[in-house]
Amino acid sequence: MSSESAVLVTGASTGIGAVYAERFAHRGHDLVLVARNHERLTALAERLRDETGVQVDILQADLTQDSDIAAVEQRLREDARIRILVNNAGTSIPGDFLHQSSDDITRLITLNVTSVARLAEAGEGAIVNIASVVGLGPEMGLTVYGATKAFVLFLSQGLDVELSAKGVYVQAVLPAATRTEIWQHSGKDVDTIPGVMEVDKLVDAALVGFDRRESVTIPPLHDETQWQTLNATRQAMLPGFAQSEPAARYLSRS
Ligand code: NAP
């Protein structure tokens, strides 16, 4: 058993989550890997045990299912070694809003929103939530997916406000297009998209933000002042909301 805290990574069977698992194993952390695909989790766990000697447990779970979310919550609450949660499992669905089925939308929201919030509530130490730049861009045309990721960003920022005094570190990571299998699920050909980041680069950059204890990490954003300006403008509005009267433009003339 490692002397480092253990890390629970959701969506660890492939993509961004698998690279997080690999990086934390090489930093000497024991792991709990969560996803649906048992075969892939087993192969990754065996490789990481061989390469690093850390302890790797597998928790097979479908995070669209209430009972499976509860099982992961229970593991987070009862396993005191787990001090870092990487809330990464997420997906996308094809099509535009009017052509998406209500079943697909419900499953997407359960995975990308409900499971993320419930697991964050059970987390302690450090909570890394994988959001997306799509959550900043309603113009990008991925409306429900983007809305789930806007939720993850807000949740992270709110938890940072609520939990930092208790010593809990919360990080939102906002990747842009990154080369993983998610593109197969979204029905888009990733090779037609400009500026796709390789997954190793994305996770290594996100971990630089983690080590700096950033609350929001946007690896593809080269001009950091753009985010700072947006955030400062948003915060500047807040005191002005305390008004008993509507703004002049909403006063009826009659
Ligand atoms: P990915 O390659 O498709 O991997 C998604 C992971 O989530 C897999 O391990 C998958 O494992 C797991 N997962 C999917 N449905 C699940 C379910 N119902 N229950 C439990 N686990 C489930 O996608 P990725 O790109 O690495 O995505 C990881 C995160 O990054 C997501 O939150 C995504 O929204 C976000 N993101 C990705 C990009 C991008 O361009 N790639 C950009 C911005 C944000 P199983 O299939 O084995 O369950």
Side-chain angles (χ1 to χ4, degrees), residues 8-177:
L8 185 144
V9 183
T10 69
S13 61
T14 186
I16 293 170
V19 177
Y20 263 109
E22 182 177 314
R23 295 302 192 263
F24 275 117
H26 282 271
R27 288 178 174 209
H29 294 266
D30 292 337
L31 298 172
V32 181
L33 306 180
V34 179
R36 294 167 302 180
N37 189 318
H38 196 265
E39 210 174 306
R40 281 178 153 184
L41 291 175
T42 305
L44 179 62
E46 280 173 5
R47 177 166 73 78
L48 295 181
R49 282 183 207 117
D50 286 350
E51 283 177 9
T52 67
V54 300
Q55 185 178 318
V56 186
D57 295 347
I58 286 169
L59 184 48
Q60 187 180 22
D62 179 345
L63 295 173
T64 63
Q65 301 302 310
D66 187 70
S67 57
D68 286 16
I69 298 173
V72 182
E73 284 177 305
Q74 189 178 356
R75 179 67 185 257
L76 284 167
R77 291 210 165 98
E78 292 180 357
D79 188 341
R81 298 173 312 143
I82 302 172
R83 303 280 305 160
I84 302 174
L85 163 66
V86 183
N87 231 338
N88 161 79
T91 196
S92 182
I93 52 176
D96 56 29
F97 180 59
L98 291 180
H99 294 97
Q100 290 168 341
S101 73
S102 55
D103 281 353
D104 277 354
I105 288 174
T106 302
R107 269 194 297 274
L108 182 70
I109 292 172
T110 306
L111 178 62
N112 289 15
V113 171
T114 309
S115 82
V116 172
R118 282 180 55 179
L119 299 187
E121 201 178 22
E124 50 184 270
I127 301 169
V128 178
N129 294 323
I130 309 301
S132 168
V133 297
V134 180
L136 298 174
E139 297 78 7
M140 292 182 190
L142 293 163
T143 302
V144 181
Y145 175 79
T148 69
K149 294 303 180 177
F151 174 92
V152 175
L153 173 60
F154 191 113
L155 178 79
S156 307
Q157 291 177 296
L159 292 183
D160 181 43
V161 172
E162 287 198 47
L163 301 180
S164 62
K166 297 190 171 109
V168 180
Y169 165 55
V170 184
Q171 180 194 27
V173 176
L174 279 63

Side-chain angles (χ1 to χ4, degrees), residues 13-16 36-37 40 90-92 178-188 190 199:
S13 61
T14 186
I16 293 170
R36 294 167 302 180
N37 189 318
R40 281 178 153 184
T91 196
S92 182
T178 308
R179 195 176 307 280
T180 69
E181 291 174 13
I182 200 170
W183 294 96
Q184 291 160 25
H185 308 302
S186 74
K188 284 204 170 64
V190 68
V199 66

